[in-house]
Amino acid sequence: MTTIWRNTLTLAGAATLSLGIAYAQSPDLSDPPEIEGDVVGDHGSHTLRMGIGLAESSPQYLSVQYFADILDQRTEGRISVDIFPNSQLGDDVQMMEMLQTGSLDMTYPSSSPATTYVEELAVFDLPFLLPNRDAAVAVMQSDTAQEMLDAFDGSGIKALAFSENGYRQLSNSVRAVETPEDVGGMDVGGLTIRTMENPVHLSIWETLGANPTPMAFGELFSAMEQGVVDGQENPWSTILTSNFHEVQDYGSETRHVYTPFILMISERTWDRLAPEYQELVQEAARQSAQYEIQLATEYDDWSREQLEEKGMQITRLDDEQIAAFQEAVQPVYDEWAPKIGEDLIAEIQGIVESNQ
């Protein structure tokens, strides 16, 4: 594995580097693809400030470094990117708002909080819609997905590309979860689960009998440590790089929602770039998104194994157990399909079926 830490980290970013170094012994991740393409013309110099939510060891961060390297190499340093990880500049919602005002140039949120801007993105929040990664990638690269990205135009945000946050898995500090009844059945108190501020996610956990509690990601570790919430749901890689195993004893491979990331740039920043720079930024975004998906795939299983080695008891649900969760959350479809759009859901399901 090639070390690709950039030297352009600001002091603020470098101050948090120790969080990522703990996982420098990461899996043998693929090196970034070779940067190809000619150097573009000189249209002035720009420094782009990008805030992201995850740690320096995450696939998201590593792919953003690759994005920065493409811009650096193909502009001979005229476009540079300063990366602020670990929610230093705010949570996803706050950083998207900063893009609208032009006080931040780029960010990389999950699709779920972005439904405020494009309601159709809520389709990705429906439980068990995307059964495997191949189907998920096919959907993210479809014309249907591009229409969702284009729908940001005029909002103050330009959406450049989808990539992978991943399959959300449940962790908690109370008990092993193997069935829907373990989440909040008659014989147990409902688990208090941190969720994003997203109505479909809230509906999922309410339907399962939990007590969903929206909370900014940057506040989550301390909330679990202090017992404010019992658990949370995120991909294994996020659980590992955020050190949640230190405060969570149990994990369940529920794969209940596949969540994309969306790489975004402020429309104000975009409009200041020359057309050739815009074309390069768009190309670099797509290339780095592809790399992020590859890294996330490699990181996922390894992260689960690392969590088990560090003491988390992980329950791998079989097809019958997954089917029980699917049946339990059917009311979520009944409630949200008319609101999200039954035609859109049918389009997504058609793409999934063609990639089975």
Side-chain angles (χ1 to χ4, degrees):
M1 175 185 170
T2 301
T3 301
I4 58 173
W5 304 114
R6 285 182 60 80
N7 294 323
T8 56
L9 273 175
T10 62
L11 290 176
T16 63
L17 190 59
S18 60
L19 290 177
I21 291 295
Y23 291 106
Q25 66 279 19
S26 57
D28 189 17
L29 298 174
S30 296
D31 292 333
E34 184 176 348
I35 298 173
E36 299 178 347
D38 297 332
V39 174
V40 300
D42 185 347
H43 305 289
S45 297
H46 299 270
T47 298
L48 304 179
R49 298 171 68 250
M50 181 186 293
I52 64 173
L54 299 186
E56 295 90 337
S57 53
S58 67
Q60 184 188 58
Y61 183 89
L62 297 176
S63 72
V64 168
Q65 289 181 311
Y66 178 51
F67 171 80
D69 287 338
I70 295 171
L71 297 183
D72 178 73
Q73 182 169 313
R74 294 193 58 195
T75 64
E76 296 184 326
R78 291 187 295 275
I79 299 181
S80 61
V81 182
D82 288 342
I83 309 167
F84 297 82
N86 293 303
S87 301
Q88 290 180 56
L89 304 182
D91 60 26
D92 283 349
V93 172
Q94 292 167 327
M95 288 191 283
M96 284 188 288
E97 291 172 348
M98 292 169 71
L99 260 59
Q100 290 183 292
T101 63
S103 57
L104 180 65
D105 298 304
M106 299 189 72
T107 191
Y108 213 159
S110 294
S111 60
S112 298
T115 56
T116 302
Y117 304 97
V118 177
E119 294 179 353
E120 290 83 357
L121 288 168
V123 73
F124 290 111
D125 296 312
L126 290 172
F128 303 105
L129 178 67
L130 302 174
N132 57 63
R133 183 172 279 106
D134 288 344
V137 171
V139 169
M140 291 191 293
Q141 295 177 347
S142 68
D143 291 342
T144 300
Q146 184 60 50
E147 290 172 4
M148 294 185 203
L149 296 178
D150 293 342
F152 279 92
D153 292 354
S155 69
I157 295 170
K158 181 170 181 60
L160 299 171
F162 282 109
S163 71
E164 175 169 318
N165 186 346
Y167 280 102
R168 306 186 82 83
Q169 321 286 7
L170 175 65
S171 74
N172 78 95
S173 59
V174 179
R175 55 181 174 266
V177 172
E178 299 179 2
T179 69
E181 290 73 25
D182 293 330
V183 176
M186 294 287 292
D187 299 327
V188 296
L191 295 174
T192 301
I193 304 297
R194 177 267 176 184
T195 69
M196 288 182 284
E197 184 67 64
N198 178 282
V200 183
H201 286 211
L202 292 169
S203 181
I204 291 170
W205 293 107
E206 287 170 353
T207 300
L208 289 171
N211 300 310
T213 303
M215 181 181 298
F217 184 81
E219 302 171 3
L220 177 53
F221 185 94
S222 61
M224 293 189 296
E225 186 176 39
Q226 297 167 14
V228 176
V229 295
D230 298 320
Q232 58 83 56
E233 33 102 53
N234 264 298
W236 293 132
S237 59
T238 302
I239 294 171
L240 177 66
T241 58
S242 302
N243 296 316
F244 289 166
H245 58 276
E246 295 179 2
V247 290
Q248 299 278 272
D249 296 326
Y250 303 99
S252 295
E253 196 160 50
T254 50
R255 299 171 64 86
H256 53 278
V257 169
Y258 180 94
T259 305
F261 282 130
I262 306 175
L263 184 54
M264 300 175 167
I265 187 169
S266 167
E267 284 189 337
R268 297 190 184 195
T269 302
W270 180 258
D271 290 343
R272 288 198 297 268
L273 299 176
E276 192 175 23
Y277 278 1
Q278 291 178 344
E279 183 178 344
L280 175 60
V281 168
Q282 180 66 79
E283 182 180 350
R286 289 176 178 150
Q287 291 173 346
S288 64
Q290 281 293 107
Y291 181 48
E292 196 278 339
I293 292 170
Q294 181 179 2
L295 291 179
T297 302
E298 296 168 352
Y299 215 105
D300 193 50
D301 288 343
W302 180 86
S303 297
R304 182 187 61 195
E305 294 167 1
Q306 287 293 301
L307 289 166
E308 289 180 316
E309 289 183 12
K310 295 176 184 298
M312 181 177 281
Q313 179 183 322
I314 293 179
T315 302
R316 292 169 170 78
L317 303 184
D318 59 29
D319 290 346
E320 184 176 340
Q321 290 170 310
I322 291 291
F325 276 92
Q326 289 177 299
E327 182 179 357
V329 297
Q330 182 57 44
V332 177
Y333 273 85
D334 298 338
E335 177 185 1
W336 285 100
K339 301 176 184 177
I340 294 172
E342 294 178 352
D343 289 344
L344 174 60
I345 295 171
E347 283 184 43
I348 300 293
Q349 289 172 332
I351 297 169
V352 169
E353 290 174 5
S354 65
N355 283 273
Q356 292 287 63

mmCIF file of all heavy atoms in Angstrom, residues 81-99:
data_model
loop_
_atom_site.group_PDB
_atom_site.id
_atom_site.type_symbol
_atom_site.label_atom_id
_atom_site.label_comp_id
_atom_site.label_asym_id
_atom_site.label_seq_id
_atom_site.Cartn_x
_atom_site.Cartn_y
_atom_site.Cartn_z
ATOM 1 N N VAL A 81 -6.258 21.813 -2.805
ATOM 2 C CA VAL A 81 -7.388 21.475 -1.944
ATOM 3 C C VAL A 81 -6.895 21.326 -0.517
ATOM 4 O O VAL A 81 -5.992 20.522 -0.246
ATOM 5 C CB VAL A 81 -8.072 20.164 -2.398
ATOM 6 C CG1 VAL A 81 -9.280 19.863 -1.498
ATOM 7 C CG2 VAL A 81 -8.497 20.245 -3.867
ATOM 8 N N ASP A 82 -7.455 22.101 0.392
ATOM 9 C CA ASP A 82 -7.193 21.941 1.821
ATOM 10 C C ASP A 82 -8.340 21.123 2.417
ATOM 11 O O ASP A 82 -9.514 21.507 2.284
ATOM 12 C CB ASP A 82 -7.109 23.294 2.524
ATOM 13 C CG ASP A 82 -5.833 24.053 2.184
ATOM 14 O OD1 ASP A 82 -4.881 23.417 1.698
ATOM 15 O OD2 ASP A 82 -5.800 25.283 2.396
ATOM 16 N N ILE A 83 -8.008 20.013 3.054
ATOM 17 C CA ILE A 83 -9.010 19.066 3.537
ATOM 18 C C ILE A 83 -9.140 19.191 5.056
ATOM 19 O O ILE A 83 -8.148 19.148 5.778
ATOM 20 C CB ILE A 83 -8.620 17.617 3.172
ATOM 21 C CG1 ILE A 83 -8.286 17.510 1.686
ATOM 22 C CG2 ILE A 83 -9.733 16.641 3.547
ATOM 23 C CD1 ILE A 83 -7.594 16.209 1.307
ATOM 24 N N PHE A 84 -10.373 19.309 5.526
ATOM 25 C CA PHE A 84 -10.669 19.402 6.953
ATOM 26 C C PHE A 84 -11.534 18.195 7.332
ATOM 27 O O PHE A 84 -12.745 18.207 7.117
ATOM 28 C CB PHE A 84 -11.407 20.698 7.268
ATOM 29 C CG PHE A 84 -10.614 21.942 6.991
ATOM 30 C CD1 PHE A 84 -10.540 22.462 5.704
ATOM 31 C CD2 PHE A 84 -9.932 22.576 8.007
ATOM 32 C CE1 PHE A 84 -9.802 23.602 5.432
ATOM 33 C CE2 PHE A 84 -9.184 23.730 7.760
ATOM 34 C CZ PHE A 84 -9.123 24.236 6.467
ATOM 35 N N PRO A 85 -10.934 17.136 7.898
ATOM 36 C CA PRO A 85 -11.690 15.919 8.231
ATOM 37 C C PRO A 85 -12.340 15.998 9.606
ATOM 38 O O PRO A 85 -12.272 17.018 10.301
ATOM 39 C CB PRO A 85 -10.602 14.844 8.206
ATOM 40 C CG PRO A 85 -9.371 15.566 8.658
ATOM 41 C CD PRO A 85 -9.498 16.984 8.140
ATOM 42 N N ASN A 86 -12.970 14.893 9.988
ATOM 43 C CA ASN A 86 -13.493 14.729 11.354
ATOM 44 C C ASN A 86 -14.516 15.780 11.763
ATOM 45 O O ASN A 86 -14.571 16.190 12.923
ATOM 46 C CB ASN A 86 -12.335 14.729 12.370
ATOM 47 C CG ASN A 86 -11.446 13.526 12.228
ATOM 48 O OD1 ASN A 86 -11.907 12.383 12.314
ATOM 49 N ND2 ASN A 86 -10.160 13.758 11.980
ATOM 50 N N SER A 87 -15.330 16.232 10.814
ATOM 51 C CA SER A 87 -16.387 17.215 11.117
ATOM 52 C C SER A 87 -15.848 18.475 11.774
ATOM 53 O O SER A 87 -16.560 19.129 12.557
ATOM 54 C CB SER A 87 -17.467 16.578 12.010
ATOM 55 O OG SER A 87 -18.053 15.459 11.396
ATOM 56 N N GLN A 88 -14.608 18.842 11.474
ATOM 57 C CA GLN A 88 -14.024 20.045 12.086
ATOM 58 C C GLN A 88 -14.833 21.299 11.771
ATOM 59 O O GLN A 88 -14.916 22.222 12.603
ATOM 60 C CB GLN A 88 -12.603 20.260 11.568
ATOM 61 C CG GLN A 88 -11.582 19.258 12.037
ATOM 62 C CD GLN A 88 -10.223 19.578 11.448
ATOM 63 O OE1 GLN A 88 -9.701 20.670 11.614
ATOM 64 N NE2 GLN A 88 -9.634 18.621 10.760
ATOM 65 N N LEU A 89 -15.417 21.352 10.576
ATOM 66 C CA LEU A 89 -16.112 22.561 10.151
ATOM 67 C C LEU A 89 -17.614 22.488 10.361
ATOM 68 O O LEU A 89 -18.337 23.428 10.025
ATOM 69 C CB LEU A 89 -15.810 22.841 8.670
ATOM 70 C CG LEU A 89 -14.333 22.969 8.303
ATOM 71 C CD1 LEU A 89 -14.167 23.306 6.823
ATOM 72 C CD2 LEU A 89 -13.637 24.014 9.160
ATOM 73 N N GLY A 90 -18.090 21.371 10.915
ATOM 74 C CA GLY A 90 -19.512 21.212 11.142
ATOM 75 C C GLY A 90 -19.993 19.861 10.663
ATOM 76 O O GLY A 90 -19.222 19.054 10.125
ATOM 77 N N ASP A 91 -21.276 19.585 10.878
ATOM 78 C CA ASP A 91 -21.836 18.324 10.398
ATOM 79 C C ASP A 91 -22.252 18.485 8.939
ATOM 80 O O ASP A 91 -22.069 19.544 8.319
ATOM 81 C CB ASP A 91 -22.995 17.858 11.276
ATOM 82 C CG ASP A 91 -24.160 18.860 11.333
ATOM 83 O OD1 ASP A 91 -24.328 19.650 10.376
ATOM 84 O OD2 ASP A 91 -24.910 18.845 12.322
ATOM 85 N N ASP A 92 -22.814 17.430 8.361
ATOM 86 C CA ASP A 92 -23.188 17.463 6.947
ATOM 87 C C ASP A 92 -24.132 18.616 6.634
ATOM 88 O O ASP A 92 -23.966 19.330 5.634
ATOM 89 C CB ASP A 92 -23.859 16.138 6.545
ATOM 90 C CG ASP A 92 -22.872 15.007 6.354
ATOM 91 O OD1 ASP A 92 -21.652 15.269 6.322
ATOM 92 O OD2 ASP A 92 -23.325 13.844 6.230
ATOM 93 N N VAL A 93 -25.136 18.803 7.476
ATOM 94 C CA VAL A 93 -26.123 19.862 7.240
ATOM 95 C C VAL A 93 -25.454 21.227 7.270
ATOM 96 O O VAL A 93 -25.678 22.079 6.396
ATOM 97 C CB VAL A 93 -27.264 19.786 8.274
ATOM 98 C CG1 VAL A 93 -28.171 20.995 8.157
ATOM 99 C CG2 VAL A 93 -28.057 18.500 8.095
ATOM 100 N N GLN A 94 -24.628 21.453 8.271
ATOM 101 C CA GLN A 94 -23.974 22.753 8.405
ATOM 102 C C GLN A 94 -23.042 23.031 7.231
ATOM 103 O O GLN A 94 -22.990 24.150 6.712
ATOM 104 C CB GLN A 94 -23.203 22.801 9.727
ATOM 105 C CG GLN A 94 -24.107 22.800 10.951
ATOM 106 C CD GLN A 94 -23.349 22.538 12.241
ATOM 107 O OE1 GLN A 94 -22.361 21.802 12.265
ATOM 108 N NE2 GLN A 94 -23.803 23.165 13.322
ATOM 109 N N MET A 95 -22.306 21.999 6.804
ATOM 110 C CA MET A 95 -21.360 22.227 5.707
ATOM 111 C C MET A 95 -22.078 22.445 4.380
ATOM 112 O O MET A 95 -21.615 23.232 3.546
ATOM 113 C CB MET A 95 -20.353 21.079 5.631
ATOM 114 C CG MET A 95 -19.343 21.106 6.771
ATOM 115 S SD MET A 95 -17.942 19.969 6.592
ATOM 116 C CE MET A 95 -18.717 18.397 7.025
ATOM 117 N N MET A 96 -23.215 21.793 4.152
ATOM 118 C CA MET A 96 -23.987 22.088 2.944
ATOM 119 C C MET A 96 -24.505 23.521 2.969
ATOM 120 O O MET A 96 -24.511 24.211 1.936
ATOM 121 C CB MET A 96 -25.136 21.087 2.794
ATOM 122 C CG MET A 96 -24.693 19.717 2.308
ATOM 123 S SD MET A 96 -26.070 18.602 1.897
ATOM 124 C CE MET A 96 -26.700 18.207 3.533
ATOM 125 N N GLU A 97 -24.926 23.985 4.131
ATOM 126 C CA GLU A 97 -25.372 25.376 4.250
ATOM 127 C C GLU A 97 -24.221 26.330 3.979
ATOM 128 O O GLU A 97 -24.405 27.401 3.373
ATOM 129 C CB GLU A 97 -25.955 25.618 5.639
ATOM 130 C CG GLU A 97 -27.281 24.883 5.869
ATOM 131 C CD GLU A 97 -27.765 24.975 7.301
ATOM 132 O OE1 GLU A 97 -26.972 25.404 8.181
ATOM 133 O OE2 GLU A 97 -28.928 24.606 7.564
ATOM 134 N N MET A 98 -23.008 25.959 4.392
ATOM 135 C CA MET A 98 -21.835 26.792 4.131
ATOM 136 C C MET A 98 -21.529 26.847 2.635
ATOM 137 O O MET A 98 -21.072 27.878 2.126
ATOM 138 C CB MET A 98 -20.635 26.258 4.913
ATOM 139 C CG MET A 98 -20.759 26.408 6.416
ATOM 140 S SD MET A 98 -19.487 25.501 7.330
ATOM 141 C CE MET A 98 -18.036 26.489 6.968
ATOM 142 N N LEU A 99 -21.788 25.762 1.911
ATOM 143 C CA LEU A 99 -21.636 25.795 0.460
ATOM 144 C C LEU A 99 -22.593 26.799 -0.160
ATOM 145 O O LEU A 99 -22.234 27.543 -1.085
ATOM 146 C CB LEU A 99 -21.894 24.402 -0.136
ATOM 147 C CG LEU A 99 -20.660 23.556 -0.489
ATOM 148 C CD1 LEU A 99 -19.790 23.307 0.723
ATOM 149 C CD2 LEU A 99 -21.074 22.234 -1.121
#
